[in-house]
């Protein structure tokens, strides 16, 4: 079989390993993806050697200048990291063989499509002075190729599934990423043992969820998690929205509405990242056309990595996932004269922000990511309210400034307002039964105005960077002592500056003096 890693560093690594031991077995996703014809950029390899993986790994790392880490000394697992290019490091896990044979080692793996190996033997030959050729043999003791051809995900054994609860979540994630179905016995075992997912580390659950939500159709995964009983244990706040009735303008329960918002958020994310947009329709085309002039600036903002390297665009899908989780605990039912029930969810965004903060902390996301999500969720209703308040007119500069002031993220110099506005688009377009929704053009125009205000170098950014008056000037010119009153006056003046009501320092001081006289008169 023809196979070799594309990156020269991995080729050098295999050559060095074959000088230490033979054969060398390449296992896992690299084998699967090669057989599927998926042209993935390989950044990590999983390798099995017959014995002494730690010692072999140490020698190869020293020879090639890779970093060496004893990942699991009890199980004889080493990790080698190639960091010549820090922005795109390569990693290789080298493990000693379990069970005495490669067939037994593969029996310990999760699914048959991941339980195949390339056995690489260095047979010599080749031209004088050239590299020796490596002969590659595919090993498939558990019928992984057959499952690939049937596009199904099947456990290697019941024991391999029970050995690691995270494999239940991996089954769903692989099914979503590859477009596979999960084999019946595997499904039944997941349903029986779904509660054991609580035994897995939060970090591993988080990473599997993140990969699933990064797919083009993560809602398929969410619906599968719900049907298998896993969602209740991992994202209980979301599971409680299933069947939660809502009143007009909503036409679906809280859970189905959330899935629809997630689908729209995926479209926005993919647009920003230059990826194919799934399920495009008239609504998608309309906001693409509307915001095309802002694409470069929006892309700059949303491709900024957060603390962990995750992009803001990727977080849009998570904001959509969690935006309404406060509804289950804030819903009230009000009987109407026509015997219908009106459901209300007062302050669900504020409550939901707190719930999202707790859940994301439990999943061990970074503080910056948690704060961003909480800020976006707490303010996701504001764009809707602003658009309704400025019917048939532009959103005022004062209202725009207040919006960005409320959505300022304490952990980033960039405003969370841009993230909130894009979530609002996904939310609004998923709310109504009709498509496009009522007043769609006017709504997009208001969002466009708010986006432009936030991105305009002469608007919000200039106001924050160059206030007309500072605290020292205010106290000196108006004879004020330090205290809360100075801070309040400064914030009011920033708002007036943003609204265009004052343009010079003297105008700002005059306005502040008038406010002081008015407040004294009232007191």
């Amino acid at each position: 079989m023809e196979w070799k890693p594309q990156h020269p560093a991995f080729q050098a690594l295999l050559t060095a390993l074959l000088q230490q031991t033979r054969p060398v077995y390449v296992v896992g996703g690299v084998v699967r993806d090669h057989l599927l014809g998926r042209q993935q950029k390989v950044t990590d390899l999983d390798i099995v050697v017959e014995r002494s993986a730690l010692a072999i790994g140490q020698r190869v790392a020293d020879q090639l200048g890779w970093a060496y880490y004893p990942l699991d000394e009890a199980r004889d697992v080493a990790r080698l990291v190639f960091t010549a290019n820090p922005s795109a490091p390569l990693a290789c896990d080298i493990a000693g063989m379990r069970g005495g044979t490669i067939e037994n080692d593969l029996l310990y793996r999760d699914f048959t499509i991941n339980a195949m190996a390339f056995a690489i033997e260095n047979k010599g030959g080749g031209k004088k002075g050239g590299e020796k050729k490596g002969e590659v043999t595919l090993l498939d003791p558990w019928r992984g190729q057959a499952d690939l051809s049937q596009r199904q995900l099947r456990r290697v054994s019941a024991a391999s599934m029970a050995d690691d609860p995270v494999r239940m979540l991996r089954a769903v994630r692989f099914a979503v990423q590859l477009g596979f179905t999960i084999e019946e016995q595997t499904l039944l075992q997941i349903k029986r043992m779904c509660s054991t997912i609580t035994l897995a580390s939060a970090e591993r659950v988080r990473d599997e969820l993140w990969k699933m939500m990064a797919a083009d159709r993560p809602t398929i995964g969410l619906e599968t998690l719900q049907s298998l009983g896993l969602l209740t244990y991992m994202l209980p706040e979301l599971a409680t929205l299933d069947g939660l009735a809502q009143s007009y303008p909503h036409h679906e329960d809280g859970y189905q509405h959330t899935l629809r918002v997630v689908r729209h958020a995926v479209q926005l994310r993919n647009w920003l990242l230059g990826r194919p947009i799934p399920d495009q329709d008239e609504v998608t085309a309309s906001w693409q056309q509307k915001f095309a002039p802002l694409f470069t600036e929006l892309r700059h903002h949303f491709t900024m990595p957060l603390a962990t390297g995750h992009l803001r665009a990727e977080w849009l899908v998570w904001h959509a996932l969690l935006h309404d989780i406060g509804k289950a605990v804030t819903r009230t039912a009000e009987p109407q004269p026509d015997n219908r029930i009106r459901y209300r969810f007062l302050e669900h965004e504020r409550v939901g922000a707190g719930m999202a903060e707790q859940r994301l902390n439990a999943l061990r996301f970074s503080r910056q990511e948690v704060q961003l999500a909480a800020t976006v969720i707490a303010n996701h209703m504001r764009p809707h309210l602003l658009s309704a308040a400025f019917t048939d007119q532009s959103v005022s500069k004062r209202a725009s400034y207040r919006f960005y002031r409320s959505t300022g993220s304490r952990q980033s110099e960039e405003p969370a307002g841009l993230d909130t506005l894009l979530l609002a688009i996904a939310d609004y377009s998923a709310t109504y039964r009709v498509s496009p929704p009522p007043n769609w053009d006017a709504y997009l125009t208001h969002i466009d105005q708010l986006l432009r205000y936030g991105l305009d170098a002469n608007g919000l950014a200039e106001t924050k960077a160059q206030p007309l008056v500072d605290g020292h000037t205010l106290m000196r010119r108006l004879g004020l002592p330090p205290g809360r009153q100075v801070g309040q006056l400064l914030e009011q003046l920033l708002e007036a500056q943003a609204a265009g009501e004052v343009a010079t320092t003297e105008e700002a001081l005059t306005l502040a003096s008038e406010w002081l006289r008015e407040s004294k008169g009232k007191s």
Side-chain angles (χ1 to χ4, degrees), residues 482-514:
R484 178 184 297 180
Q485 186 182 44
V486 174
Q488 291 174 338
L489 283 173
L490 287 173
E491 184 54 50
Q492 287 177 285
L493 289 173
L494 278 175
E495 191 174 303
Q497 180 182 343
E501 296 171 2
V502 292
T504 67
T505 298
E506 292 304 319
E507 289 177 353
L509 290 169
T510 298
L511 184 58
S513 180
E514 292 174 0

